[in-house]
């Protein structure tokens, strides 16, 4: 099966890559540029205006990647980000600008660290730390990439979502039926609802559709890193729900990311296929922990991700919000 063209995502008003009219005012390429269109409001202070979207709240991966990008804007080209640690404080409103205050915690010869505080008005949305390091030659070692089918042999996730749309709660439609920035290819069957216990292990191939690196920030590693942060928020802690037989789309499930960490190991491109190998070490206390490794197609490990999320089973249906 061929993948959607990486050259162009249809603009607003045209049919999406699934041959369907887009029911929400989302244009992936416009959104991708707008997410990081920072305006300086002071020394190491930035603002991003609201982005027109059909979502009920801001996507957690977008918020985390914006914090990462704000930190990168205050560091010179002699250092490269090697780790990110972030805590979600509350959901982000879609009709308010995001403000970022960056504190230059350290600036050494080898390392630099930045503290980022993200707010909407007086309310804190996220606190994040990003560490940067000057590159140097050193011995390398890594775990092996799992042996999984090639992405071209797998069904795109958007086709699975389309087939299940009639059964998917309407509160999930805004996210999953919009034109997607990322072509996800699940290796294992993609589950939606409660069912028999499943292994806490999943694999996804993914890559960004449309041109990457053509915006105002250019084609730098930092651009690809921030988009990997954007993608890494999806699917990760839900993997830990498998042994519990719980599904993320259940009307009685309340889910939310709580914290997120990424370690970068090697260079990569997000418009080339990457494998996201996920496992869930533990779940309990209405939370689930997920860990993931991201590999280039040649087997090189490029990033490690960890996230804990809220997974609370409710006694009443969750309506009108994610």
């Amino acid at each position: 099966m061929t993948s959607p063209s990486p050259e162009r995502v249809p603009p607003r008003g045209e049919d999406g890559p699934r041959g369907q009219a887009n029911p929400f005012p989302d244009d992936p390429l416009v959104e991708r540029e707008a997410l990081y269109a920072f305006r300086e409001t002071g020394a190491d202070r930035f603002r991003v205006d609201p982005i027109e979207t059909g979502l009920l709240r801001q996507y957690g991966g977008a918020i985390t990647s914006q914090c990462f990008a704000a930190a990168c804007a205050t560091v010179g080209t002699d250092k490269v980000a090697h780790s990110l640690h972030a805590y979600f404080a509350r959901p982000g409103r879609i009709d308010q600008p995001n403000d970022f205050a960056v504190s230059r915690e350290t600036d050494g010869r080898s390392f630099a660290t930045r503290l980022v505080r993200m707010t909407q008005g007086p309310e804190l949305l996220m606190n994040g730390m990003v560490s940067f390091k000057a590159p140097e030659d050193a011995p390398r070692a890594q775990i092996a990439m799992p042996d999984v089918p090639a992405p071209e042999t797998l069904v795109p996730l958007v086709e699975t979502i389309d087939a299940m749309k009639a059964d998917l709660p309407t509160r999930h439609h805004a996210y999953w039926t919009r034109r997607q920035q990322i072509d996800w290819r699940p290796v294992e069957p993609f589950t939606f609802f409660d069912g028999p216990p499943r292994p806490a292990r999943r694999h996804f191939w993914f890559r960004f559709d449309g041109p990457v690196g053509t915006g105002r920030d250019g084609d730098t590693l930092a651009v690809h890193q921030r988009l990997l942060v954007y993608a890494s928020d999806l699917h990760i802690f839900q993997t830990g729900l498998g042994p519990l037989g719980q599904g993320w789309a259940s009307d009685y499930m309340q889910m939310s990311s709580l914290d997120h960490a990424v370690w970068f190991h090697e260079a990569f491109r997000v418009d080339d296929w990457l494998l996201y190998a996920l496992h869930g070490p533990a779940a309990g206390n209405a939370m689930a922990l997920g860990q993931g490794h991201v590999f280039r197609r040649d087997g090189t490990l490029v990033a490690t991700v960890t996230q804990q999320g809220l997974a609370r089973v409710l006694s009443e249906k969750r309506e009108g919000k994610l």
Side-chain angles (χ1 to χ4, degrees):
M1 180 173 297
T2 59
S3 62
S5 169
E7 300 301 324
R8 178 179 177 273
V9 176
R12 214 170 279 210
E14 295 186 19
D15 285 350
R18 288 169 276 170
Q20 297 177 348
N22 178 26
F24 300 107
D26 301 308
D27 183 322
L29 297 187
V30 171
E31 179 181 353
R32 190 180 305 165
E33 188 70 14
L35 276 172
Y36 312 104
F38 293 132
R39 291 187 290 110
E40 291 192 38
T41 58
D44 294 340
R45 301 293 186 267
F46 308 96
R47 170 170 288 185
V48 175
D49 292 325
I51 299 172
E52 188 179 13
T53 176
L55 302 186
L56 301 175
R57 68 184 183 189
Q58 292 194 47
Y59 164 55
I63 291 173
T64 312
S65 67
Q66 285 178 326
C67 284
F68 176 84
C72 291
T74 68
V75 177
T77 58
D78 60 321
K79 296 182 178 68
V80 177
H82 71 89
S83 68
L84 158 74
H85 297 261
Y87 282 90
F88 295 86
R90 56 174 49 86
R93 295 183 54 178
I94 61 171
D95 59 348
Q96 297 292 321
N98 296 338
D99 288 303
F100 304 86
V102 181
S103 174
R104 304 188 182 210
E105 300 293 289
T106 63
D107 275 299
R109 288 185 299 177
S110 296
F111 290 89
T113 56
R114 297 292 185 265
L115 172 64
V116 184
R117 178 179 172 86
M118 177 185 177
T119 57
Q120 285 187 328
E123 295 188 333
L124 174 69
L125 266 66
M126 173 170 281
N127 275 325
M129 288 287 295
V130 184
S131 183
F132 301 81
K133 182 183 180 299
E136 57 185 291
D137 291 330
R140 283 171 163 77
Q142 66 161 81
I143 62 173
M145 184 174 76
D147 184 13
V148 299
E152 293 84 1
T153 68
L154 302 172
V155 176
L157 182 57
V158 292
E159 294 185 13
T160 304
I161 296 291
D162 284 345
M164 289 292 298
K165 183 179 177 182
D167 298 320
L168 197 64
T170 55
R171 60 193 173 89
H172 288 291
H173 285 192
Y175 186 86
W176 288 107
T177 63
R178 68 205 297 246
R179 290 200 297 267
Q180 298 291 306
Q181 295 209 39
I182 307 169
D183 182 3
W184 290 96
R185 303 287 178 98
V187 174
E188 294 81 12
F190 189 76
T191 57
F192 296 80
F193 303 105
D194 296 351
R198 303 175 299 276
R201 193 169 295 275
R202 299 191 295 177
H203 304 82
F204 294 84
W205 288 100
F206 73 96
R207 68 177 177 184
F208 276 74
D209 285 333
V212 174
T214 59
R216 67 175 190 172
D217 296 329
D219 195 17
T220 64
L221 177 58
V223 168
H224 291 269
Q225 286 180 324
R226 75 191 186 192
L227 292 177
L228 177 59
V229 172
Y230 177 100
S232 65
D233 184 59
L234 271 180
H235 309 305
I236 179 167
F237 84 83
Q238 294 91 337
T239 301
L241 300 180
L244 305 179
Q246 295 175 347
W248 60 269
S250 168
D251 275 331
Y252 295 89
M253 178 65 71
Q254 178 186 1
M255 306 189 73
S256 181
S257 304
L258 298 176
D259 58 17
H260 197 82
V262 182
W263 294 265
F264 298 104
H265 310 305
E266 299 287 350
F268 58 91
R269 295 189 63 86
V270 295
D271 48 3
D272 291 335
W273 285 113
L274 298 169
L275 178 67
Y276 203 7
L278 298 168
H279 70 283
N285 192 29
M287 295 185 294
L289 180 67
Q291 294 182 334
H293 295 103
V294 183
F295 298 88
R296 289 198 314 240
R297 194 165 186 171
D298 65 3
T300 301
L301 177 67
V302 301
T304 299
V305 186
T306 299
Q307 184 184 89
Q308 189 174 53
L310 176 69
R312 177 181 290 143
V313 179
L314 305 174
S315 58
E316 298 181 355
K317 280 188 176 183
R318 186 170 176 82
E319 302 286 357
K321 57 183 177 179
L322 294 176

